[in-house]
Amino acid sequence: MWIISAAYLFLGMFNILFAWLGMICFLVPIIMSVAGKGKGYCNNYCGRGQLLDLMGNKMKLSRYRDIPKFLKSKTFRYGFLVFFLIMFSNMVFNTYLVFKGSNELKEVITILWTFKMPWNFSEISMVNPWVSQFAFGFFSLMVTSTILGIITMILFKPRSWCVYCPMGTMTQMISKAKYNDSKGIDI
Ligand code: SF4
């Protein structure tokens, strides 16, 4: 699955519409968790987790240090989840404004919610602008979370990102609420 994860980032650079495929990584973990598979997606299928594992363990890019306690704390993990969901909602709202015709399509990728990179080399003229706007916003989130994952992989243990990954936190919350299963992921 790590090949698919790497290919996703690569393809998005050539055609931003590939960003829509990332919705699979959003929906499948939640569906599996609701269906009683707990963190089955994280432990078996997540390409992001496998990619970080490969880079950290096989390619030896990780310093293999313990992750700081504050990153593991509930306050940080839930706080980051709330922040992530607010950013996601903002991205959906921007898509709606483009759909309504109130805003124009912004062909830009925003890295780490701050740095804007113009993205002019993708072919997007054949679809409705809101479809492209969502793709730009979603790809920005995916690239940002990949960068955060790689930074924490280098600084700490390979899968340190999984400790505070919003998808991991959400699936853990669902499992805990439904089945009282609060098991985490090995990092
Ligand atoms: S916590 Fe996030 S990155 Fe890690 S395996 Fe689960 S979904 Fe993938």
Side-chain angles (χ1 to χ4, degrees), residues 2-3 8 14 18 25 35 39 44 47 54 82 86 111-112 123 128-129 131 148 150-151 153 179-180:
W2 67 267
I3 296 174
Y8 172 81
F14 293 98
F18 278 110
C25 308
K39 298 193 75 99
N44 301 306
L54 180 88
V82 170
I86 290 171
I111 307 287
L112 298 170
E123 185 52 61
N128 200 303
V131 176
L148 290 176
I150 289 174
I151 291 172
M153 176 274 294
Y179 309 100
N180 208 20

Side-chain angles (χ1 to χ4, degrees), residues 41-42 46 48-49 159 161-162 165 167-168 185:
Y41 177 84
C42 292
C46 178
R48 167 85 51 90
R159 286 182 69 164
W161 160 254
C162 294
C165 165
M167 295 314 300
I185 302 164

Side-chain angles (χ1 to χ4, degrees), residues 86-128:
I86 290 171
M87 291 296 134
F88 186 84
S89 307
N90 185 45
M91 184 263 290
V92 172
F93 184 62
N94 284 334
T95 303
Y96 169 70
L97 292 178
V98 172
F99 171 76
K100 241 180 66 176
S102 312
N103 276 3
E104 285 194 357
L105 169 67
K106 292 190 190 74
E107 293 180 41
V108 73
I109 297 290
T110 309
I111 307 287
L112 298 170
W113 300 286
T114 310
F115 307 106
K116 298 198 183 301
M117 289 172 54
W119 212 254
N120 295 322
F121 49 92
S122 44
E123 185 52 61
I124 55 175
S125 55
M126 74 290 247
V127 295
N128 200 303

